[in-house]
Amino acid sequence: MGQEAHHHHALPTSAADAAGAGASAPAASRIFTAGLVAAWYASNIGVLLLNKYLLSVYGFRFPIFLTACHMSACALLSTLAHAAGPGSSGSSTPARRRSRGQLARVAVLGAVFCASVVAGNVSLRYLPVSFNQAVGATTPFFTAVLAYAVAARREAFATYAALIPVVAGVVIATGGEPSFHLFGFIMCVGATAGRALKTVLQGILLSSEEEKMNSMDLLRYMAPVAVILLVPATLIMEREAFGVVATLAREDPNFIWILLCNSSMAYFVNLTNFLVTKHTSPLTLQVLGNAKGAVAVVVSIMIFRNPVTFMGMLGYGITVAGVVLYGEAKKRSK
């Protein structure tokens, strides 16, 4: 989830403090940033692999219920972090009265976010993580298309040209995917488009000065909306989920721990994403994001041993190369 960072610089109290801090700051801040990136990678890949494990290996076939657990954890932990103090939640702005219009817009964002996460989790039931990540790498394509459709934002020609390998790579990977599943693929494309739509809407909805919100504040407002939508959806579409959870909790004590760990990690994905965005540049974030997909693919193939073909890997490689080109073209056109 590409989220905008809002930088808040604290001013040093005195020149002496500043000079003293200056000497050790670069090394310490580099170590801190590296630690943040490691935590971001670990939580992202951890959630992805645990979702895959629960939904397909473990046989817990309730993606909506799982997403509801994630959103409940996000709602709870972001509220606690906010209550603990403005500094700890990543939000450094005092709580302002939110306009009704803004809350309505946040609710729309919450619904889009929620739908994209559910679709992503559904796709993990049917597709290997490696293919899921290859399709997920096409997010810039959907973002560019939707930015044009929704906000009439045009990019330079070179930027659009870079999207050709992004899509071509996925077409090649699809042809070479031994465990291809049409419904899973449709869900995965839907999830990717949903994430892109959320990014575009977020850019529009939260860009005006008086409505500036950072991504952690946004999560605090969005997560409860998602829970309100997901609980009835679970009751309607996955009615037996609660019974299965109760049975599994009795039979396998580890199950509850896996679920709790998975749900808490979903919050830390958002928190570390926010902090990495805040402490690095958007471009660094993009490069790290591309590398993260590749790392996730390698780790998932090692763990789940899903068959991979040369065509599949070639397609994925072409997509990642296209994403890198897209980033370069965007940077030049600014």
Side-chain angles (χ1 to χ4, degrees):
M1 284 170 280
Q3 277 156 343
E4 271 63 39
H6 304 301
H7 300 273
H8 304 285
H9 300 292
L11 294 171
T13 42
S14 71
D17 285 358
S24 60
S29 79
R30 270 205 299 278
I31 293 166
F32 178 68
T33 306
L36 277 181
V37 171
W40 183 47
Y41 270 40
S43 57
N44 257 284
I45 295 170
V47 163
L48 191 66
L49 298 180
L50 270 177
N51 285 352
K52 175 66 184 170
Y53 173 74
L54 281 170
L55 292 164
S56 67
V57 182
Y58 193 91
F60 181 74
R61 296 188 158 68
F62 303 108
I64 302 176
F65 177 83
L66 191 62
T67 311
C69 291
H70 289 178
M71 291 299 122
S72 304
C74 287
L76 181 69
L77 291 169
S78 54
T79 306
L80 287 175
H82 184 72
S88 58
S89 62
S91 120
S92 54
T93 43
R96 273 181 304 226
R97 296 280 309 139
R98 299 286 171 197
S99 69
R100 232 190 216 146
Q102 188 181 20
L103 291 176
R105 290 194 279 277
V106 169
V108 170
L109 265 183
V112 171
F113 178 50
C114 185
S116 73
V117 177
V118 170
N121 285 342
V122 170
S123 77
L124 280 173
R125 258 187 71 178
Y126 302 101
L127 297 177
V129 172
S130 49
F131 187 56
N132 185 285
Q133 289 291 292
V135 177
T138 60
T139 305
F141 167 75
F142 289 101
T143 308
V145 170
L146 290 165
Y148 180 69
V150 178
R153 270 213 317 270
R154 283 173 191 228
E155 300 285 359
F157 175 73
T159 311
Y160 286 126
L163 291 170
I164 296 169
V166 172
V167 179
V170 169
V171 172
I172 294 169
T174 304
E177 176 53 60
S179 3
F180 181 78
H181 187 287
L182 184 63
F183 178 67
F185 177 68
I186 292 169
M187 281 291 147
C188 196
V189 170
T192 308
R195 279 197 298 274
L197 180 61
K198 177 181 164 277
T199 306
V200 172
L201 290 178
Q202 201 170 306
I204 302 167
L205 302 184
L206 304 174
S207 56
S208 67
E209 269 313 306
E210 66 276 6
E211 297 208 336
K212 273 250 164 88
M213 252 194 208
N214 67 36
S215 56
M216 292 318 287
D217 284 337
L218 183 61
L219 184 70
R220 199 172 86 246
Y221 287 104
M222 261 179 10
V225 173
V227 174
I228 292 166
L229 293 170
L230 287 165
V231 172
T234 306
L235 289 169
I236 296 164
M237 294 156 80
E238 297 179 347
R239 202 172 296 131
E240 64 279 24
F242 299 96
V244 172
V245 169
T247 311
L248 283 171
R250 278 198 305 274
E251 291 171 4
D252 179 5
N254 290 336
F255 173 74
I256 292 296
W257 289 112
I258 294 172
L259 203 57
L260 283 172
C261 174
N262 187 4
S263 302
S264 313
M265 263 184 172
Y267 170 71
F268 287 106
V269 167
N270 287 286
L271 181 64
T272 52
N273 189 340
F274 169 71
L275 292 171
V276 169
T277 309
K278 198 168 153 180
H279 290 276
T280 65
S281 67
L283 190 76
T284 312
L285 192 75
Q286 204 173 16
V287 174
L288 289 170
N290 297 338
K292 185 172 73 20
V295 173
V297 168
V298 174
V299 174
S300 83
I301 291 168
M302 282 160 61
I303 294 175
F304 297 114
R305 309 207 180 288
N306 53 290
V308 194
T309 58
F310 171 71
M311 288 297 276
M313 284 286 103
L314 175 72
Y316 183 63
I318 292 172
T319 294
V320 172
V323 173
V324 173
L325 282 172
Y326 174 77
E328 284 298 308
K330 240 181 122 82
K331 196 171 65 184
R332 287 219 182 84
S333 69
K334 281 204 171 96

